[in-house]
């Protein structure tokens, strides 16, 4: 049925907007970027795609960088000077002028869209971090950031007494209000040789192997509008080399055994690495091949992992268990419905002249959100699978596994269930139930036969 529904698409699928993406100056170590047009006449500006924020900001070209020239646009409307955006998780701070202007995304325009024109005083440096290394201010000035997070659609637009939106509203809050006829969903496909963003795709819940998606349960809807999902467990597993004396290295952490909500995972396409707590980072480091060590501890960068390596075969595959939207809870009991996806080594390891840089960083000893363990699933996760967001449902959707950029032969990993079948907290485990019933039946049989 899912395959048939994908073939017989409704008429409104003609409204799907495809925005081609490309890797920034750092390539796989960096972020995916899109080219948008701002102003009248249109000025082309490059922006990084960021599902971990909601604001669009562009660099000011009058400060000597490639960006947007406000004075050259006849439709530019200045709102407020010297607006300071909240600091990004990687330390980047952005300030400038909030404004409105016409913006073109693919073939669809947004009239009087809200955004910020960044001003960077001379000598100020950005400390955005990619896999433990600081970016230069040249990278920070040459492109902006387009946040994909949206506000709830049932909230009215926040305006002042003059009818203008207050400060900087999220770009896609305005986008969906203006294009109410489009399906309210965004899909990101970073894998393969042609990364792209789809605005308004049809998200059909069903088997991912035939083009369907699985929705992750929105346990944090009351707390945030960002792309959060609940991760039940994470496992790392390496393939056996084939030698009798060679043992496969593996590790698994079941978050449900510590908290019924699991771990809060932010799916952030604007983060170049997977960011975890210090304790989890140390456990991951132990599963990495010999010769891997912590690096990038100088300055204010996040520590990461670097290895002396010859190939990627010895690196483990990450497997994640997400709580499914089809799961339900009754009197505190979790029925345990989930789905799996994986991250192959080719998606998070970059080899450069005998050095393998691992896109996993130490986010600090207390890396929490909503009072529980938290993690950031950055670009490596987006390179391994199709990730989407349904605005009406306010839930993340995970699609099919995608091939690595240098191959079109299919996914490069196989998922292995990382959940603990015995220590599950309040999550129902079929295997544990079967073992307990078998034990009780055995005791009952013994008593019946012997006594």
């Amino acid at each position: 049925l899912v395959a048939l529904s994908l073939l017989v698409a409704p008429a409104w699928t003609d409204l799907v907007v495809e925005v081609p993406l490309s890797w920034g100056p750092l390539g796989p170590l960096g972020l995916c970027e899109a080219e948008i047009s701002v102003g009248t006449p249109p000025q082309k500006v490059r922006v990084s795609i960021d599902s971990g924020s909601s604001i669009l900001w562009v660099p000011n070209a009058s400060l000597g960088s490639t960006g947007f020239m406000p004075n050259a646009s006849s439709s530019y409307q200045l709102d407020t000077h010297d607006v300071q955006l909240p600091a990004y998780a990687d330390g980047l701070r952005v300030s400038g002028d909030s404004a409105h202007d016409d913006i073109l995304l693919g073939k669809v325009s947004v009239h009087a869209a809200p955004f910020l024109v960044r001003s960077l005083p001379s000598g100020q440096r950005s400390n955005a971090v990619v896999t433990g290394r600081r970016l230069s201010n040249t990278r920070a000035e040459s492109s902006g950031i387009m946040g994909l997070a949206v506000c709830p659609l049932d909230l009215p637009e926040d305006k002042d007494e003059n009818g203008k939106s207050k400060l900087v509203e999220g770009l896609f809050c305005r986008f969906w209000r203006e294009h109410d006829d489009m399906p309210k969903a965004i899909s990101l496909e970073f894998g393969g040789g042609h990364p792209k963003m789809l605005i308004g795709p049809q998200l059909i819940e069903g088997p991912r192997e035939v083009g369907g998606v699985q929705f992750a349960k929105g346990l944090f809807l009351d707390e945030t509008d960002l792309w959060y999902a609940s991760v039940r467990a994470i496992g790392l597993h390496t393939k056996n080399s084939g030698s009798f004396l060679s043992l496969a290295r593996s590790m698994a952490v079941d978050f449900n055994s510590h908290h019924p909500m699991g771990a809060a995972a932010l799916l952030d396409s604007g983060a170049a690495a997977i960011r975890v707590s210090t304790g989890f980072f140390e456990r991951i480091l132990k599963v990495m091949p010999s010769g891997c060590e912590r690096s990038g501890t100088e300055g204010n960068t996040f520590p990461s992992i670097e290895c002396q390596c010859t190939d990627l075969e010895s690196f483990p595959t990450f497997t994640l268990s997400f709580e499914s939207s089809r799961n339900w809870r009754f009197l505190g009991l979790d029925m345990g419905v989930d789905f799996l996806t994986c991250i192959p080594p080719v998606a998070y390891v970059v080899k450069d002249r005998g050095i393998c840089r691992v896109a996993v960083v130490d986010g600090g000893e207390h890396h929490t959100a909503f009072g529980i363990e938290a993690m950031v699933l950055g670009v490596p996760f987006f390179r391994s699978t199709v990730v989407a967001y349904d605005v009406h449902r306010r839930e993340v959707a995970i699609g099919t596994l995608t091939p690595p950029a240098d191959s079109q032969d299919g996914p490069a990993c196989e998922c292995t269930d990382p959940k603990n079948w015995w220590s599950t907290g309040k999550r129902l485990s079929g295997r544990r139930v079967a073992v307990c019933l078998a034990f009780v039946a055995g005791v009952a049989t013994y008593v019946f036969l012997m006594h």
Side-chain angles (χ1 to χ4, degrees):
L1 290 177
V2 173
L4 181 60
S5 62
L6 290 173
L7 292 175
V8 185
W12 46 252
T13 54
D14 294 337
L15 299 176
V16 175
V17 178
E18 179 174 331
V19 181
L21 304 178
S22 60
W23 294 104
L26 292 180
L29 283 175
L31 308 176
C32 254
E33 297 182 348
E35 185 176 79
I36 65 174
S37 296
V38 183
T40 307
Q43 303 178 40
K44 293 183 178 180
V45 181
R46 296 196 64 80
V47 290
S48 298
I49 303 300
D50 184 17
S51 61
S53 66
S54 61
I55 306 300
L56 166 67
W57 66 262
V58 297
N60 193 329
S62 62
L63 298 177
S65 63
T66 57
F68 176 65
M69 184 77 71
N71 295 336
S73 174
S74 60
S75 53
Y76 178 78
Q77 306 172 39
L78 174 65
D79 293 335
T80 308
H81 286 292
D82 300 326
V83 175
Q84 177 74 49
L85 297 182
Y88 288 83
D90 58 11
L92 177 65
R93 294 184 178 274
V94 176
S95 61
D97 299 333
S98 65
H100 287 74
D101 208 336
D102 297 339
I103 293 177
L104 185 65
L105 297 175
K107 297 181 179 180
V108 177
S109 62
V110 186
H111 177 67
F115 68 110
L116 183 135
V117 182
R118 185 191 189 193
S119 56
L120 184 66
S122 177
Q124 181 176 339
R125 295 182 61 85
S126 159
N127 46 332
V129 177
V130 173
T131 57
R133 300 190 302 172
R134 184 182 302 172
L135 295 176
S136 67
N137 59 336
T138 302
R139 166 65 179 84
E141 292 180 9
S142 62
S143 63
I145 291 179
M146 181 168 66
L148 304 183
V150 299
C151 54
L153 296 179
D154 55 354
L155 293 180
E157 186 175 1
D158 193 10
K159 297 182 178 180
D160 60 18
E161 61 276 8
N162 297 320
K164 291 185 177 181
S165 296
K166 293 183 179 179
L167 296 181
V168 188
E169 182 189 27
L171 170 65
F172 278 90
C173 295
R174 173 66 62 86
F175 182 94
W176 296 122
R177 289 192 180 103
E178 184 170 330
H179 299 282
D180 189 56
D181 55 335
M182 292 183 62
K184 293 172 177 55
I186 300 175
S187 175
L188 297 178
E189 302 179 19
F190 286 6
H194 304 284
K196 60 184 176 181
M197 174 174 68
L198 300 179
I199 304 175
Q202 181 185 15
L203 301 180
I204 300 178
E205 189 167 15
R208 296 157 62 201
E209 297 79 8
V210 295
V213 299
Q214 293 290 321
F215 285 96
K217 197 171 187 67
L219 295 181
F220 313 105
L221 296 182
D222 296 334
E223 306 287 343
T224 181
D225 292 306
L226 298 181
W227 294 22
Y228 269 97
S230 173
V231 171
R232 292 189 181 278
I234 293 184
L236 281 76
H237 181 78
T238 56
K239 295 180 180 179
N240 195 309
S241 64
S243 170
F244 177 76
L245 298 178
S246 175
L247 297 177
R249 303 183 309 278
S250 63
M251 178 271 289
V253 176
D254 193 320
F255 298 105
N256 277 150
S257 63
H258 304 289
H259 197 282
M261 297 183 71
L266 173 61
L267 279 58
D268 185 1
S269 64
I274 299 171
R275 189 160 65 247
V276 297
S277 64
T278 299
F280 195 21
F281 178 85
E282 294 296 338
R283 296 188 66 174
I284 292 175
L285 182 58
K286 292 179 180 179
V287 185
M288 291 294 161
S290 59
C292 292
E293 59 184 16
R294 174 189 289 259
S295 67
T297 56
E298 69 283 350
N300 59 353
T301 60
F302 293 121
S304 61
I305 300 173
E306 287 190 357
C307 314
Q308 299 285 340
C309 66
T310 56
D311 55 56
L312 305 186
E313 294 296 326
S314 57
F315 286 87
T317 292
F318 285 72
T319 300
L320 299 94
S321 166
F322 285 94
E323 179 170 349
S324 171
S325 64
R326 296 181 290 107
N327 186 57
W328 56 280
R329 298 164 184 259
F330 180 72
L331 297 178
L333 179 63
D334 177 1
M335 298 308 294
V337 183
D338 73 330
F339 61 90
L340 305 178
T341 191
C342 59
I343 307 175
V346 70
Y348 72 88
V349 182
V350 177
K351 184 181 177 183
D352 181 20
R353 291 174 292 185
I355 300 294
C356 283
R357 294 185 172 87
V358 180
V360 178
V361 299
D362 181 356
E365 184 175 352
H366 303 288
H367 199 259
T368 60
F370 319 117
I372 60 177
E373 179 86 10
M375 67 189 69
V376 176
L377 300 177
V379 169
F381 181 77
F382 287 79
R383 294 181 66 194
S384 63
T385 187
V386 175
V387 184
Y389 186 83
D390 189 299
V391 178
H392 273 307
R393 296 178 58 145
R394 296 176 64 195
E395 289 181 333
V396 173
I398 307 299
T400 183
L401 296 173
T402 57
D406 57 352
S407 172
Q408 301 296 329
D409 297 333
C413 65
E414 295 182 1
C415 298
T416 55
D417 195 343
K419 299 189 302 297
N420 189 309
W421 65 272
W422 184 257
S423 178
T424 62
K426 297 182 179 180
R427 186 182 74 234
L428 183 66
S429 169
R431 188 183 301 180
R432 184 174 64 175
V433 171
V435 170
C436 292
L437 290 177
F439 176 77
V440 172
V443 172
T445 302
Y446 172 80
V447 172
F448 177 79
L449 295 177
M450 301 302 295
H451 300 281

